[in-house]
Each structure stands twice: as C-alpha cells, then as structure tokens.
Amino acid sequence: MIFRQLFDSVSSTYTYVIASRRGGEALIIDPVLEKVDRYIQLVEQLDLKLVKAVDTHLHADHLTGLGALRDRTHCVTVMGERSKVDVVSMRLSEGDKLTIEGVALDVLYTPGHTDDSYSFLMQDRVFTGDTLLIRGTGRTDFQNGDARAQYDSIFNKLLRLPNDTMIFPAHDYKGETVSTIGEDRAFNPRLQVKSVDQYVDLMNKLNLPNPKMMDVAVPANMRVGLAQEDIARRGWAVSAAEALSLAAQPGIVLVDLRERGEREKPRATRKRIVFYCAFGERSAMAVQAAQDAGLASTAHIHGGIDAWKKAGGPLLR
Amino acid sequence: MIFRQLFDSVSSTYTYVIASRRGGEALIIDPVLEKVDRYIQLVEQLDLKLVKAVDTHLHADHLTGLGALRDRTHCVTVMGERSKVDVVSMRLSEGDKLTIEGVALDVLYTPGHTDDSYSFLMQDRVFTGDTLLIRGTGRTDFQNGDARAQYDSIFNKLLRLPNDTMIFPAHDYKGETVSTIGEDRAFNPRLQVKSVDQYVDLMNKLNLPNPKMMDVAVPANMRVGLAQEDIARRGWAVSAAEALSLAAQPGIVLVDLRERGEREKPRATRKRIVFYCAFGERSAMAVQAAQDAGLASTAHIHGGIDAWKKAGGPLLR
C-alpha cells in the first residue's frame, strides 16, 4: 500500500494520499488549496491516478483543494451527505464505502465539531477529521458544532474501534503525526470525563478565538462547484426551469451521466446534447470536454437533478 | 513495532521513537531539547523504557535533547565516533549495530553535511539525518561540510539501498513526512546531476544564510556531558592525572563500568570506590547514584579512559 501523510504548516492540516499500488488509483483526504501543485506532482511521481478527493467536513481554517484537484485531474469530489457544500460529485452516508481500486474505507458519520463531520475507517487506521485529534478533540462552538453529538461520535463510534487502530486526524498543532485508539482513550485529556454532561461542560468552557481563516474559508469551501459558474458564463448551461421546456423537444438529447449506458449516446446523435448528473458537477466537466472537442451546441443542466427536482421537474425513476 | 515520528515546528526537526513492543526498550533519534517533556511523557504512555538517545550529527539549528534525556531517564547517549561532542556514553562507527531489545540498526558513516553525519538503517527504513532530505540534501557550507563527501555518501551508500527503503530525514521544511530511495533518486532535484563535480558546483552556489540558532546550538550541543561538570563541582571527581597516583594505593578500588563483572565490586569492599568508563559519562551517573545511596567517599575519573589515555595512563588491555 502507498500511504502518505502531508502537512500544511500554515493551517496545521494533515492531508493523506492513499493507493493500493504504484500505477493504480489514488484517493486524497482533506487537501489544502495552496498545496494542490505538490499533491498533483506527488501523485504523478508515484505513478498514480487521482480518482477521488474527499473532505472530512467543511473546513473553517483553510481553503479546500477539492475544486482545484477536480478541475486539474478530473477526479471525483466527495463529501458527506450532510455537507452544505454546493456541489460535489459524490455524497456519502454512514455505512457507505468510499472505494478506489484495491481500497475500501468505511464511512462513519461523526458529527460534533460540525454537523457534517465524517470519519473514514481503513482497516488498521481511521481518518478522524476534526472529530478526534491526538490528545485533543475538535472545537464544537461554531458551524453547528455540538459537544453532546461529539461525545456520542467519539465514545460510541471511534473509541469502539480496536485499541491498536491508528488515528490520523485532519490537524495537529504540537508535532504529533499519529496515535492509536487505545492510547487516546487512556491519555487524551478531553476524554477523561465521567459523563456526557461533563464533556459538554468542558467543551463549552474552552472559549477559543475564531480561526483566522474562518470568514474566508467557510464561504469559499461551500462553493467547491465554482467551475459550474464558469460554464454558465460561457453560455453552456441551461437552468433547471429551461431544461423542463427543452426536455420534450425533438432536437434535444438528454444524457444522464450517472448511467454508464447513456454516456455512449453523444456518439450516435446529431441532436443538441444536454448533459446532466446529480448536482451538475460532472455534467459541467462533460460539457467543457465536449466544447473542447468542437461540439459547440452542447450544454448541461446547471445544478443537475437536484436543481431539476427543486424546479418541480418530474422524475422518471 | 512501535514507530513514532514527531515534529518540532520551531526548527522543523523530525524526531523518531522506536521500540519493538509495548513494555520494551525504546530508542530516540534526534531529540529536541524543548520537546523532552513530551518525549518522556510519550515513552511512559506507550509503556516503554528509553534506553538510548542518538543524534545523527552535531546539530546547528536546535539544541539537542540528549543531555536532558540522559539526566531524566538514565538512557545511554549515542553519537558517531567522529563527533566533537564532549561526552556521550557510546560512540558508533560504520559497520557497528545500534541495538535495543528487538531492534538493530546498521550504522552508516555518511559525511558531507557535517564530518560527523551518520545514517541508521533499520530494514525497510533509513534515518538519514541531514545527509539526504526529501527532495533535498543537507547544506555543506559549514561545520566541515563537504559536498564531495556528501555526493559519495548519497550516491555510493544511501542510493544503493533497495528502492522501496523509506527515507526518514532529520528535517523537512515543506510538509513531507516520508519518501523512498527510488522516489528521491528519480525526483530529488539535487540528485539529477551527471557527476560529482556538477553536484559540488550546485551545492557551492546555494549561498544560504546561516541557521538562526547556529551560534547558540553548536557550542551547546558540543557539551552534552554537562552533568560531569556538576559532579566535579560537588567534589566527586578525580582528574585523570590524580587517578594515575590513586590507582596504586591500597585503599582504592577502581571499578570499570564497561565490564559487567566489575559492577559487582562495590558491594564487596569497604575501600574508596573510583568508577570509570570510556568517557566519564556513565561513571558520573554511577557516582551520583552511589552518593545518593550514602556512599560518601565514591568518586569517578573525570573524562574517563579517554582522559586517562591523554594523561599518559597505562592501559592493561
């Protein structure tokens, strides 16, 4: 297995690159925007293909690299279903698997630091985001943080993992790189509480200043799907409302990118192609690729099926 | 195996804690003085006994934790034989093994960054000090640095290790935690040279400012054996010259701490005990322990056999 832990010293963020073999597919967890060049270089040097980029939650202390990695590598962007991020290609829920070639991570919903915090379990190690840090826990005083939920996530999910499960968090501020579940259960000062109420009390008294980047990072990180705005500005997008009227026209072919079979349609038609997908992100990439290939009339549905549903569009399935 | 990589963000130093099992002996490589509390805490939390503390070379950018760790844990301090550090308990040469329970590291003499730079090879990983960094190499413009020697150390020793050997350096400034020999041979920009002359030329043109800590760290790090000065101030030391005259006296027992058998001598005698060892460090600790136990007449030979030899003392073996 290829496993790399990378540190951004500005935000003290840990980013992880995972692959099962050289030449294979890679996954990145919690990439930082300013480091995207290095991630892409490393992935190339290790002869990997980046196929998925995941954030454990909406970060308030750094700008996410998800959008930039998607634009530059065409990887799939992934977050938990509870995330308020505008557009990612894939949303995961507790019990789902986050998979690439040769690697499958179990998705755990671990709210508390935020209400969209997820952890990812890969056999002997767990990526805990800001839920469980080494000898610490993520603050719970903004972004719908909830100390009571965090207690539940930590004590009833993470601490039930085997003692020697390695903890790889999204941050460390003191120079630690890894811990284990057994070790932090015993020595994490925040976990030496007798009850959920004692934990809530401890967290509510922390009185921390807001992260320096918060006012910039939170709004920016909610708009991972920025590329769709660019596509719209170029005139290659139709709104969900427009799509409702186009759908019935004979000169139009709608291509559902969520279906492997549908992706062959464009080859066989001279009609105007309108791509769509769940949230409009993959279809924005498809329309860009089609335009690049000279198919000038192609467009996509801005915001995807999600926007279509909100516009009252009928669902055939 | 227990393996921990710890980072000091002030000097960007990586420190490594290694042990074969919980409850067993531990080794620490390149400890930083300011972090000694954390190392000791971690060693305790992992249920380990710190028995050896090693510096890969005399550091110019941070204060070594060797002396403080020795004073607080009674571990053995270790450096390469070429080091100008005043006193460490053990000096290693190329071809030696650095061992603790269940772990044996091969000692490689890899000069270039300094003339006392050593690397330590542990099966699938090598601790390269400042000789080989991730996508970089240690500067060669002070402390008897020598770009030509460094080329030889890197190309003719380190790069001959198997491609998948992991590189764990003493520093990283860009957020990398590990690389491999194969990867850095291919992608380390300093190693893409066609000849030793080209490497020397590259290194000589770097024109780096001196490390901020250099004027403090180098002199301080040369005096790891400070505890011996304290022992002497308390009147518990004899100089090598004094020892020459004492050695023949009937009321004196000399105890060579390098020999397991000799360590039993103090129990069986009422004579005045004078401990000695290779450099006086272990004997300083022994006299402290003896004094603590109420043996008021004990002393040791300041500077050990090394000072004895320099004073013209005869060697029986």
Side-chain angles (χ1 to χ4, degrees):
Chain A
M1 190 184 65
I2 293 170
F3 178 75
R4 287 297 164 88
Q5 181 177 32
L6 299 156
F7 187 60
D8 172 51
S9 60
V10 177
S11 59
S12 297
T13 301
Y14 277 128
T15 301
Y16 302 92
V17 174
I18 302 165
S20 64
R21 62 174 183 93
R22 282 184 78 90
E25 292 184 352
L27 165 75
I28 192 165
I29 298 177
D30 287 331
V32 175
L33 180 60
E34 289 80 0
K35 294 273 183 178
V36 161
D37 283 347
R38 175 59 188 145
Y39 306 143
I40 289 176
Q41 183 189 48
L42 181 64
V43 161
E44 285 172 3
Q45 291 178 344
L46 295 171
D47 191 22
L48 300 174
K49 177 167 171 48
L50 186 66
V51 296
K52 284 182 184 159
V54 192
D55 269 354
T56 50
H57 63 288
L58 185 72
H59 297 284
D61 55 359
H62 67 271
L63 295 174
T64 178
L66 252 58
L69 285 169
R70 181 238 9 242
D71 291 346
R72 292 177 56 183
T73 70
H74 288 196
C75 69
V76 170
T77 54
V78 185
M79 284 192 75
E81 58 164 355
R82 302 292 182 100
S83 174
K84 286 168 199 73
V85 168
D86 59 346
V87 181
V88 288
S89 315
M90 181 180 284
R91 289 181 191 258
L92 296 169
S93 308
E94 168 102 10
D96 286 347
K97 296 263 188 194
L98 168 61
T99 58
I100 58 169
E101 175 204 351
V103 179
L105 287 77
D106 291 309
V107 179
L108 304 174
Y109 178 48
T110 50
H113 171 60
T114 63
D115 59 357
D116 73 337
S117 289
Y118 289 76
S119 297
F120 300 96
L121 174 64
M122 188 174 84
Q123 294 162 335
D124 64 349
R125 60 199 69 193
V126 60
F127 303 95
T128 54
D130 286 9
T131 303
L132 179 57
L133 306 175
I134 300 171
R135 310 294 193 267
T137 58
R139 60 192 298 175
T140 55
D141 57 338
F142 57 68
Q143 283 187 277
N144 299 316
D146 181 336
R148 199 166 289 273
Q150 190 173 56
Y151 179 94
D152 185 57
S153 296
I154 294 173
F155 281 84
N156 296 324
K157 289 188 181 169
L158 298 175
L159 292 190
R160 293 196 176 173
L161 297 171
N163 271 340
D164 54 359
T165 308
M166 288 181 277
I167 298 170
F168 284 106
H171 294 285
D172 191 86
Y173 305 93
K174 293 178 181 171
E176 309 282 319
T177 57
V178 67
S179 181
T180 63
I181 290 291
E183 203 182 312
D184 260 70
R185 181 193 293 110
F187 301 114
N188 187 322
R190 297 230 178 125
L191 306 187
Q192 310 312 308
V193 290
K194 294 203 175 81
S195 66
V196 59
D197 290 330
Q198 199 185 340
Y199 185 74
V200 170
D201 192 48
L202 186 161
M203 294 304 288
N204 288 347
K205 285 181 178 158
L206 291 178
N207 240 332
L208 301 166
N210 278 344
K212 281 178 235 162
M213 288 283 285
M214 185 173 174
D215 295 338
V216 176
V218 171
N221 289 343
M222 288 179 79
R223 288 169 47 79
V224 168
L226 198 61
Q228 267 193 86
E229 306 295 331
D230 295 337
I231 296 295
R233 266 193 293 278
R234 286 172 206 147
W236 301 337
V238 297
S239 70
E242 289 170 312
L244 288 177
S245 66
L246 284 174
Q249 293 183 15
I252 298 286
V253 167
L254 288 171
V255 176
D256 183 350
L257 292 171
R258 298 170 305 170
E259 298 295 319
R260 198 175 288 269
E262 295 240 327
R263 289 181 218 153
E264 293 300 314
K265 273 190 188 173
R267 297 183 198 274
T269 184
R270 299 197 167 200
K271 296 179 181 175
R272 183 183 185 202
I273 298 158
V274 178
F275 296 106
Y276 66 98
C277 63
F279 294 93
E281 176 162 274
R282 276 169 295 175
S283 58
M285 282 164 54
V287 76
Q288 177 73 60
Q291 291 282 345
D292 291 347
L295 299 168
S297 72
T298 47
H300 85 126
I301 302 178
H302 193 98
I305 293 291
D306 186 55
W308 169 273
K309 279 191 287 191
K310 285 173 185 155
L315 295 175
L316 299 179
R317 293 167 293 162
Chain B
M1 192 183 65
I2 291 170
F3 178 76
R4 287 298 164 88
Q5 182 177 30
L6 298 156
F7 187 61
D8 171 52
S9 60
V10 177
S11 60
S12 297
T13 302
Y14 278 128
T15 301
Y16 302 92
V17 173
I18 301 164
S20 64
R21 62 173 183 93
R22 282 184 78 91
E25 292 184 352
L27 166 75
I28 192 165
I29 298 178
D30 287 330
V32 175
L33 180 61
E34 289 80 2
K35 294 273 183 179
V36 160
D37 282 348
R38 174 59 187 144
Y39 306 144
I40 290 175
Q41 183 189 47
L42 181 63
V43 161
E44 286 172 0
Q45 291 178 344
L46 295 171
D47 191 23
L48 300 174
K49 175 167 172 50
L50 186 66
V51 296
K52 285 182 183 161
V54 191
D55 269 353
T56 51
H57 64 288
L58 185 71
H59 296 284
D61 55 359
H62 67 270
L63 296 174
T64 178
L66 252 59
L69 285 169
R70 179 232 18 237
D71 291 347
R72 292 177 56 184
T73 70
H74 287 197
C75 68
V76 170
T77 53
V78 185
M79 284 192 75
E81 59 164 354
R82 303 290 183 101
S83 175
K84 286 169 199 72
V85 168
D86 59 347
V87 182
V88 289
S89 316
M90 180 179 286
R91 290 182 192 255
L92 297 170
S93 308
E94 168 102 10
D96 286 347
K97 296 263 188 193
L98 169 60
T99 57
I100 58 168
E101 175 204 350
V103 179
L105 287 76
D106 292 309
V107 179
L108 304 174
Y109 179 46
T110 51
H113 170 62
T114 64
D115 60 357
D116 73 337
S117 289
Y118 290 76
S119 297
F120 300 96
L121 175 64
M122 187 174 84
Q123 294 163 333
D124 64 349
R125 60 199 68 192
V126 59
F127 303 95
T128 55
D130 285 9
T131 303
L132 179 58
L133 306 176
I134 299 172
R135 309 295 192 266
T137 59
R139 60 192 298 174
T140 54
D141 58 338
F142 58 67
Q143 283 186 275
N144 299 316
D146 180 336
R148 199 166 289 274
Q150 191 174 54
Y151 179 93
D152 185 57
S153 296
I154 294 173
F155 280 84
N156 297 325
K157 289 189 181 168
L158 297 175
L159 293 190
R160 293 195 176 175
L161 297 172
N163 272 340
D164 55 358
T165 308
M166 287 180 278
I167 298 170
F168 284 106
H171 294 286
D172 191 87
Y173 304 94
K174 294 178 180 171
E176 309 282 317
T177 57
V178 68
S179 180
T180 64
I181 289 292
E183 202 182 313
D184 259 70
R185 180 192 293 110
F187 301 114
N188 187 324
R190 296 227 178 128
L191 306 187
Q192 309 313 306
V193 290
K194 294 203 175 81
S195 67
V196 59
D197 290 330
Q198 199 185 340
Y199 185 74
V200 170
D201 192 49
L202 186 160
M203 294 304 288
N204 288 347
K205 286 180 176 158
L206 291 179
N207 240 331
L208 301 167
N210 278 343
K212 280 178 233 163
M213 287 283 286
M214 184 171 173
D215 295 338
V216 176
V218 171
N221 290 344
M222 289 179 77
R223 288 171 48 76
V224 168
L226 198 62
Q228 264 193 90
E229 305 296 332
D230 295 337
I231 296 295
R233 265 193 294 277
R234 287 173 206 144
W236 300 338
V238 296
S239 71
E242 289 171 312
L244 288 176
S245 66
L246 285 176
Q249 294 182 16
I252 297 286
V253 168
L254 288 171
V255 176
D256 184 350
L257 292 172
R258 298 169 306 169
E259 298 295 318
R260 198 175 289 270
E262 295 241 324
R263 290 182 214 150
E264 294 300 313
K265 275 190 187 173
R267 296 182 199 275
T269 182
R270 297 198 170 201
K271 296 180 181 176
R272 184 183 183 202
I273 298 157
V274 178
F275 296 107
Y276 66 99
C277 62
F279 295 93
E281 179 163 271
R282 276 169 294 174
S283 58
M285 281 164 54
V287 75
Q288 176 72 63
Q291 291 282 346
D292 291 347
L295 298 168
S297 71
T298 48
H300 85 125
I301 302 178
H302 194 97
I305 292 292
D306 186 55
W308 170 272
K309 279 191 287 191
K310 285 172 185 156
L315 296 176
L316 297 181
R317 291 169 294 165

